[in-house]
Amino acid sequence: MNRKYRKTVIAANWKMNKTPSETKAFFTEFKNQMPKGRWCDIVVCVPAVDIPAAVRALRDTRVGVGAENCNANASGAYTGEIAVNMLVDAGCKYVIIGHSERRAMGETDADVNAKIHAALGANLIPIVCVGESLEQREAGITDEWITMQIKAALAGVAVEKIKKIVVAYEPIWAIGTGKTATPDQAEQVCQMIRTVIRKMYGAAIARGVSILYGGSMNEKNAEELLAQPDIDGGLIGGASLVSEKFVKIIEAANQPIA
Ligand code: PGA
């Protein structure tokens, strides 16, 4: 983290978990446990049907609600899809874009890029996910792969918009597996991502972009990961489903300003 230059962001990704009633119950508990300090931005990205319950429960808090996906088109014949203006109207401030689980369902780099443009156009903060597979890591092409994903994702994004973007580095082999990247491994890639952004947008912009780590981050390993200079937060799946664990991760982000 480096709170002098950029925000720390602790974001939950609930994936396909919890019903609207369970969402309501979760936030009743969470609001009782939530730290009062403001050392990080707190975000919860929930299934689309849970958004109203989350927005209602968090109305009087500073926690931002996000969606887990969006469609790049403004409206029209896209059965089952959700447009960015619908998310904004429902009370969302964030949207996860390009999660590896969605890429595995066929989402391309071009789709990710189009969704980022749509989100920024609607004033939603995109949490843009990138990450390599185990095969790619073992083949030694992690840096090339991530560089390509970042360049494709940000193609055509204007310099004044880039400040709104949050990047999440999520090695696919670490997601939901209990195999966390070591702090050194995660830092190395997050630092490399910042270098790619620096080359595209300059040092001042790159210094201000929050880059999160995701992949089996939990209440035990969060502090060490978040202590790395280029890891500005976490995108947390499994551990965000249990209020006490998510709260402990938020507390782990309360580290001295570098
Ligand atoms: P995990 O998921 O924390 O359960 O590994 C992270 C993510 O996929 O965003």
Side-chain angles (χ1 to χ4, degrees), residues 1-2 13 16-17 20 44 57 103 122-123 143 160 167 199 229 231 249 251:
M1 296 185 296
N2 188 331
N13 172 15
M16 199 171 74
N17 292 292
V44 283
R103 292 183 191 255
N123 250 336
D143 287 7
E160 61 276 9
V167 176
K199 287 183 183 149
I231 301 180
I249 298 171
E251 283 164 350

Side-chain angles (χ1 to χ4, degrees), residues 63 66 75 164 177 201:
V63 180
S75 63
K164 287 211 68 178
T177 57
Y201 295 97

